[in-house]
mmCIF file of all heavy atoms in Angstrom:
data_model
loop_
_atom_site.group_PDB
_atom_site.id
_atom_site.type_symbol
_atom_site.label_atom_id
_atom_site.label_comp_id
_atom_site.label_asym_id
_atom_site.label_seq_id
_atom_site.Cartn_x
_atom_site.Cartn_y
_atom_site.Cartn_z
ATOM 1 N N GLY Z 1 -0.808 -17.265 -59.055
ATOM 2 C CA GLY Z 1 -0.261 -17.338 -60.396
ATOM 3 C C GLY Z 1 1.249 -17.463 -60.421
ATOM 4 O O GLY Z 1 1.857 -18.144 -59.584
ATOM 5 N N ASN Z 2 1.859 -16.808 -61.404
ATOM 6 C CA ASN Z 2 3.314 -16.830 -61.504
ATOM 7 C C ASN Z 2 3.971 -15.862 -60.524
ATOM 8 O O ASN Z 2 5.174 -15.916 -60.295
ATOM 9 C CB ASN Z 2 3.754 -16.481 -62.933
ATOM 10 C CG ASN Z 2 5.044 -17.159 -63.317
ATOM 11 O OD1 ASN Z 2 5.190 -18.359 -63.139
ATOM 12 N ND2 ASN Z 2 5.994 -16.401 -63.851
ATOM 13 N N GLY Z 3 3.152 -14.986 -59.923
ATOM 14 C CA GLY Z 3 3.701 -13.977 -59.030
ATOM 15 C C GLY Z 3 4.433 -14.553 -57.836
ATOM 16 O O GLY Z 3 5.414 -13.971 -57.362
ATOM 17 N N LYS Z 4 3.961 -15.698 -57.340
ATOM 18 C CA LYS Z 4 4.593 -16.280 -56.157
ATOM 19 C C LYS Z 4 6.008 -16.773 -56.441
ATOM 20 O O LYS Z 4 6.778 -17.026 -55.517
ATOM 21 C CB LYS Z 4 3.735 -17.411 -55.589
ATOM 22 C CG LYS Z 4 3.433 -18.538 -56.544
ATOM 23 C CD LYS Z 4 2.482 -19.558 -55.914
ATOM 24 C CE LYS Z 4 2.042 -20.624 -56.907
ATOM 25 N NZ LYS Z 4 1.074 -20.073 -57.894
ATOM 26 N N PHE Z 5 6.347 -16.931 -57.741
ATOM 27 C CA PHE Z 5 7.694 -17.351 -58.105
ATOM 28 C C PHE Z 5 8.608 -16.170 -58.424
ATOM 29 O O PHE Z 5 9.827 -16.339 -58.530
ATOM 30 C CB PHE Z 5 7.663 -18.260 -59.343
ATOM 31 C CG PHE Z 5 6.805 -19.478 -59.185
ATOM 32 C CD1 PHE Z 5 5.630 -19.613 -59.894
ATOM 33 C CD2 PHE Z 5 7.178 -20.499 -58.326
ATOM 34 C CE1 PHE Z 5 4.842 -20.738 -59.758
ATOM 35 C CE2 PHE Z 5 6.399 -21.634 -58.185
ATOM 36 C CZ PHE Z 5 5.226 -21.752 -58.901
ATOM 37 N N ASP Z 6 8.025 -14.990 -58.632
ATOM 38 C CA ASP Z 6 8.834 -13.859 -59.076
ATOM 39 C C ASP Z 6 9.865 -13.475 -58.024
ATOM 40 O O ASP Z 6 9.607 -13.522 -56.819
ATOM 41 C CB ASP Z 6 7.942 -12.663 -59.404
ATOM 42 C CG ASP Z 6 7.501 -12.670 -60.856
ATOM 43 O OD1 ASP Z 6 8.323 -12.343 -61.717
ATOM 44 O OD2 ASP Z 6 6.337 -13.026 -61.118
ATOM 45 N N MET Z 7 11.009 -13.081 -58.511
ATOM 46 C CA MET Z 7 12.139 -12.859 -57.620
ATOM 47 C C MET Z 7 12.299 -11.405 -57.212
ATOM 48 O O MET Z 7 12.618 -11.107 -56.061
ATOM 49 C CB MET Z 7 13.418 -13.336 -58.310
ATOM 50 C CG MET Z 7 13.345 -14.802 -58.705
ATOM 51 S SD MET Z 7 14.736 -15.257 -59.768
ATOM 52 C CE MET Z 7 14.353 -16.996 -60.028
ATOM 53 N N LEU Z 8 12.060 -10.504 -58.153
ATOM 54 C CA LEU Z 8 12.419 -9.108 -57.953
ATOM 55 C C LEU Z 8 11.262 -8.192 -58.304
ATOM 56 O O LEU Z 8 10.405 -8.526 -59.124
ATOM 57 C CB LEU Z 8 13.617 -8.742 -58.832
ATOM 58 C CG LEU Z 8 14.816 -9.695 -58.784
ATOM 59 C CD1 LEU Z 8 15.776 -9.365 -59.904
ATOM 60 C CD2 LEU Z 8 15.513 -9.625 -57.436
ATOM 61 N N ILE Z 9 11.257 -7.024 -57.687
ATOM 62 C CA ILE Z 9 10.377 -5.927 -58.078
ATOM 63 C C ILE Z 9 11.258 -4.867 -58.727
ATOM 64 O O ILE Z 9 12.100 -4.247 -58.072
ATOM 65 C CB ILE Z 9 9.640 -5.325 -56.869
ATOM 66 C CG1 ILE Z 9 8.607 -6.294 -56.315
ATOM 67 C CG2 ILE Z 9 8.972 -4.017 -57.257
ATOM 68 C CD1 ILE Z 9 7.314 -6.358 -57.077
ATOM 69 N N PHE Z 10 11.092 -4.683 -60.029
ATOM 70 C CA PHE Z 10 11.891 -3.700 -60.749
ATOM 71 C C PHE Z 10 11.223 -2.323 -60.718
ATOM 72 O O PHE Z 10 10.006 -2.202 -60.585
ATOM 73 C CB PHE Z 10 12.068 -4.128 -62.212
ATOM 74 C CG PHE Z 10 12.858 -5.386 -62.400
ATOM 75 C CD1 PHE Z 10 12.214 -6.585 -62.674
ATOM 76 C CD2 PHE Z 10 14.243 -5.386 -62.308
ATOM 77 C CE1 PHE Z 10 12.930 -7.753 -62.859
ATOM 78 C CE2 PHE Z 10 14.971 -6.552 -62.476
ATOM 79 C CZ PHE Z 10 14.321 -7.737 -62.751
ATOM 80 N N ASP Z 11 12.038 -1.290 -60.871
ATOM 81 C CA ASP Z 11 11.539 0.078 -61.074
ATOM 82 C C ASP Z 11 10.600 0.565 -59.977
ATOM 83 O O ASP Z 11 9.654 1.296 -60.245
ATOM 84 C CB ASP Z 11 10.812 0.178 -62.430
ATOM 85 C CG ASP Z 11 11.768 0.487 -63.564
ATOM 86 O OD1 ASP Z 11 12.928 0.792 -63.278
ATOM 87 O OD2 ASP Z 11 11.347 0.405 -64.726
ATOM 88 N N LEU Z 12 10.839 0.156 -58.762
ATOM 89 C CA LEU Z 12 10.021 0.647 -57.650
ATOM 90 C C LEU Z 12 10.620 1.955 -57.148
ATOM 91 O O LEU Z 12 11.824 2.042 -56.898
ATOM 92 C CB LEU Z 12 9.998 -0.391 -56.521
ATOM 93 C CG LEU Z 12 9.093 -0.064 -55.327
ATOM 94 C CD1 LEU Z 12 7.639 0.028 -55.770
ATOM 95 C CD2 LEU Z 12 9.258 -1.123 -54.242
ATOM 96 N N ILE Z 13 9.782 2.970 -57.006
ATOM 97 C CA ILE Z 13 10.262 4.278 -56.560
ATOM 98 C C ILE Z 13 9.547 4.684 -55.275
ATOM 99 O O ILE Z 13 8.469 4.179 -54.959
ATOM 100 C CB ILE Z 13 10.076 5.361 -57.642
ATOM 101 C CG1 ILE Z 13 8.604 5.512 -58.033
ATOM 102 C CG2 ILE Z 13 10.915 5.030 -58.872
ATOM 103 C CD1 ILE Z 13 8.336 6.661 -58.994
ATOM 104 N N ASN Z 14 10.192 5.595 -54.551
ATOM 105 C CA ASN Z 14 9.646 6.132 -53.304
ATOM 106 C C ASN Z 14 9.462 5.051 -52.247
ATOM 107 O O ASN Z 14 8.551 5.112 -51.421
ATOM 108 C CB ASN Z 14 8.310 6.843 -53.551
ATOM 109 C CG ASN Z 14 7.854 7.645 -52.347
ATOM 110 O OD1 ASN Z 14 8.650 8.332 -51.702
ATOM 111 N ND2 ASN Z 14 6.575 7.553 -52.020
ATOM 112 N N SER Z 15 10.343 4.067 -52.227
ATOM 113 C CA SER Z 15 10.246 3.043 -51.190
ATOM 114 C C SER Z 15 10.876 3.550 -49.901
ATOM 115 O O SER Z 15 11.684 4.483 -49.901
ATOM 116 C CB SER Z 15 10.945 1.761 -51.633
ATOM 117 O OG SER Z 15 12.352 1.935 -51.653
ATOM 118 N N LYS Z 16 10.512 2.919 -48.808
ATOM 119 C CA LYS Z 16 11.027 3.317 -47.493
ATOM 120 C C LYS Z 16 12.551 3.214 -47.459
ATOM 121 O O LYS Z 16 13.227 4.125 -46.957
ATOM 122 C CB LYS Z 16 10.412 2.416 -46.426
ATOM 123 C CG LYS Z 16 10.850 2.718 -44.996
ATOM 124 C CD LYS Z 16 10.058 1.853 -44.017
ATOM 125 C CE LYS Z 16 10.443 2.151 -42.573
ATOM 126 N NZ LYS Z 16 11.785 1.643 -42.232
ATOM 127 N N VAL Z 17 13.100 2.120 -48.001
ATOM 128 C CA VAL Z 17 14.559 1.949 -47.936
ATOM 129 C C VAL Z 17 15.279 2.935 -48.845
ATOM 130 O O VAL Z 17 16.390 3.378 -48.524
ATOM 131 C CB VAL Z 17 14.952 0.498 -48.281
ATOM 132 C CG1 VAL Z 17 14.537 -0.443 -47.163
ATOM 133 C CG2 VAL Z 17 14.372 0.043 -49.613
ATOM 134 N N GLN Z 18 14.658 3.313 -49.961
ATOM 135 C CA GLN Z 18 15.262 4.340 -50.808
ATOM 136 C C GLN Z 18 15.310 5.681 -50.083
ATOM 137 O O GLN Z 18 16.342 6.367 -50.089
ATOM 138 C CB GLN Z 18 14.476 4.481 -52.111
ATOM 139 C CG GLN Z 18 14.659 3.354 -53.099
ATOM 140 C CD GLN Z 18 13.693 3.471 -54.268
ATOM 141 O OE1 GLN Z 18 12.561 3.955 -54.120
ATOM 142 N NE2 GLN Z 18 14.121 3.024 -55.442
ATOM 143 N N ARG Z 19 14.187 6.038 -49.475
ATOM 144 C CA ARG Z 19 14.133 7.324 -48.785
ATOM 145 C C ARG Z 19 15.137 7.375 -47.634
ATOM 146 O O ARG Z 19 15.774 8.404 -47.395
ATOM 147 C CB ARG Z 19 12.717 7.590 -48.261
ATOM 148 C CG ARG Z 19 11.673 7.777 -49.358
ATOM 149 C CD ARG Z 19 10.387 8.393 -48.804
ATOM 150 N NE ARG Z 19 9.833 7.624 -47.694
ATOM 151 C CZ ARG Z 19 8.995 6.597 -47.820
ATOM 152 N NH1 ARG Z 19 8.627 6.198 -49.035
ATOM 153 N NH2 ARG Z 19 8.530 5.964 -46.769
ATOM 154 N N GLU Z 20 15.272 6.268 -46.921
ATOM 155 C CA GLU Z 20 16.224 6.232 -45.813
ATOM 156 C C GLU Z 20 17.661 6.416 -46.291
ATOM 157 O O GLU Z 20 18.502 6.935 -45.549
ATOM 158 C CB GLU Z 20 16.091 4.897 -45.066
ATOM 159 C CG GLU Z 20 14.814 4.781 -44.252
ATOM 160 C CD GLU Z 20 14.647 3.399 -43.627
ATOM 161 O OE1 GLU Z 20 15.384 2.465 -44.025
ATOM 162 O OE2 GLU Z 20 13.764 3.254 -42.755
ATOM 163 N N ASP Z 21 17.922 6.023 -47.538
ATOM 164 C CA ASP Z 21 19.261 6.191 -48.103
ATOM 165 C C ASP Z 21 19.404 7.486 -48.902
ATOM 166 O O ASP Z 21 20.426 7.706 -49.557
ATOM 167 C CB ASP Z 21 19.594 5.001 -49.005
ATOM 168 C CG ASP Z 21 19.970 3.771 -48.208
ATOM 169 O OD1 ASP Z 21 20.152 3.883 -46.979
ATOM 170 O OD2 ASP Z 21 20.069 2.681 -48.809
ATOM 171 N N GLY Z 22 18.377 8.314 -48.856
ATOM 172 C CA GLY Z 22 18.450 9.605 -49.528
ATOM 173 C C GLY Z 22 18.228 9.555 -51.025
ATOM 174 O O GLY Z 22 18.529 10.537 -51.726
ATOM 175 N N LEU Z 23 17.720 8.450 -51.550
ATOM 176 C CA LEU Z 23 17.424 8.344 -52.982
ATOM 177 C C LEU Z 23 16.019 8.862 -53.256
ATOM 178 O O LEU Z 23 15.057 8.401 -52.644
ATOM 179 C CB LEU Z 23 17.528 6.891 -53.450
ATOM 180 C CG LEU Z 23 18.932 6.324 -53.671
ATOM 181 C CD1 LEU Z 23 18.828 4.853 -54.033
ATOM 182 C CD2 LEU Z 23 19.647 7.077 -54.772
ATOM 183 N N GLU Z 24 15.898 9.800 -54.163
ATOM 184 C CA GLU Z 24 14.599 10.369 -54.481
ATOM 185 C C GLU Z 24 14.310 10.208 -55.964
ATOM 186 O O GLU Z 24 15.102 10.621 -56.812
ATOM 187 C CB GLU Z 24 14.552 11.850 -54.096
ATOM 188 C CG GLU Z 24 14.654 12.108 -52.593
ATOM 189 C CD GLU Z 24 14.481 13.581 -52.255
ATOM 190 O OE1 GLU Z 24 14.121 14.358 -53.176
ATOM 191 O OE2 GLU Z 24 14.700 13.943 -51.091
ATOM 192 N N PHE Z 25 13.165 9.586 -56.244
ATOM 193 C CA PHE Z 25 12.688 9.447 -57.623
ATOM 194 C C PHE Z 25 11.249 9.936 -57.658
ATOM 195 O O PHE Z 25 10.395 9.438 -56.920
ATOM 196 C CB PHE Z 25 12.743 7.984 -58.083
ATOM 197 C CG PHE Z 25 14.129 7.402 -58.101
ATOM 198 C CD1 PHE Z 25 14.587 6.622 -57.049
ATOM 199 C CD2 PHE Z 25 14.976 7.640 -59.172
ATOM 200 C CE1 PHE Z 25 15.857 6.086 -57.062
ATOM 201 C CE2 PHE Z 25 16.257 7.110 -59.187
ATOM 202 C CZ PHE Z 25 16.705 6.333 -58.131
ATOM 203 N N THR Z 26 10.983 10.901 -58.492
ATOM 204 C CA THR Z 26 9.638 11.453 -58.580
ATOM 205 C C THR Z 26 8.835 10.745 -59.653
ATOM 206 O O THR Z 26 9.380 9.989 -60.469
ATOM 207 C CB THR Z 26 9.697 12.950 -58.918
ATOM 208 O OG1 THR Z 26 10.221 13.101 -60.252
ATOM 209 C CG2 THR Z 26 10.571 13.712 -57.925
ATOM 210 N N VAL Z 27 7.537 11.014 -59.646
ATOM 211 C CA VAL Z 27 6.657 10.490 -60.703
ATOM 212 C C VAL Z 27 7.136 10.984 -62.065
ATOM 213 O O VAL Z 27 7.153 10.227 -63.045
ATOM 214 C CB VAL Z 27 5.204 10.929 -60.438
ATOM 215 C CG1 VAL Z 27 4.319 10.642 -61.653
ATOM 216 C CG2 VAL Z 27 4.649 10.222 -59.209
ATOM 217 N N GLU Z 28 7.562 12.234 -62.114
ATOM 218 C CA GLU Z 28 8.045 12.804 -63.374
ATOM 219 C C GLU Z 28 9.306 12.084 -63.852
ATOM 220 O O GLU Z 28 9.482 11.846 -65.057
ATOM 221 C CB GLU Z 28 8.323 14.295 -63.207
ATOM 222 C CG GLU Z 28 7.072 15.160 -63.023
ATOM 223 C CD GLU Z 28 6.388 14.953 -61.680
ATOM 224 O OE1 GLU Z 28 7.090 14.572 -60.700
ATOM 225 O OE2 GLU Z 28 5.155 15.165 -61.611
ATOM 226 N N ASP Z 29 10.198 11.745 -62.917
ATOM 227 C CA ASP Z 29 11.399 10.988 -63.281
ATOM 228 C C ASP Z 29 11.028 9.657 -63.916
ATOM 229 O O ASP Z 29 11.642 9.236 -64.910
ATOM 230 C CB ASP Z 29 12.267 10.730 -62.039
ATOM 231 C CG ASP Z 29 12.880 11.991 -61.469
ATOM 232 O OD1 ASP Z 29 13.076 12.946 -62.233
ATOM 233 O OD2 ASP Z 29 13.144 12.009 -60.244
ATOM 234 N N PHE Z 30 10.055 9.007 -63.317
ATOM 235 C CA PHE Z 30 9.622 7.699 -63.814
ATOM 236 C C PHE Z 30 9.053 7.826 -65.225
ATOM 237 O O PHE Z 30 9.385 7.038 -66.119
ATOM 238 C CB PHE Z 30 8.570 7.099 -62.879
ATOM 239 C CG PHE Z 30 8.190 5.672 -63.197
ATOM 240 C CD1 PHE Z 30 8.766 4.627 -62.511
ATOM 241 C CD2 PHE Z 30 7.264 5.384 -64.181
ATOM 242 C CE1 PHE Z 30 8.427 3.304 -62.795
ATOM 243 C CE2 PHE Z 30 6.919 4.076 -64.481
ATOM 244 C CZ PHE Z 30 7.506 3.034 -63.784
ATOM 245 N N ILE Z 31 8.207 8.825 -65.425
ATOM 246 C CA ILE Z 31 7.588 9.020 -66.739
ATOM 247 C C ILE Z 31 8.660 9.256 -67.803
ATOM 248 O O ILE Z 31 8.616 8.675 -68.894
ATOM 249 C CB ILE Z 31 6.594 10.196 -66.692
ATOM 250 C CG1 ILE Z 31 5.384 9.834 -65.817
ATOM 251 C CG2 ILE Z 31 6.137 10.577 -68.099
ATOM 252 C CD1 ILE Z 31 4.439 10.976 -65.553
#
């Protein structure tokens, strides 16, 4: 579909690169 053209993933939390940089976002933060 259109997904193969999409450029960015917005609002992703708890990713490996975030954790490695010390960024923490909980489910509650997201809500």
Side-chain angles (χ1 to χ4, degrees):
N2 211 50
K4 58 184 174 287
F5 303 111
D6 270 285
M7 302 170 180
L8 311 168
I9 290 281
F10 295 102
D11 273 351
L12 184 62
I13 59 174
N14 191 43
S15 71
K16 180 174 181 288
V17 289
Q18 287 172 328
R19 294 195 305 273
E20 288 175 347
D21 283 350
L23 282 176
E24 294 185 9
F25 298 98
T26 67
V27 169
E28 290 70 27
D29 292 334
F30 188 98
I31 292 172

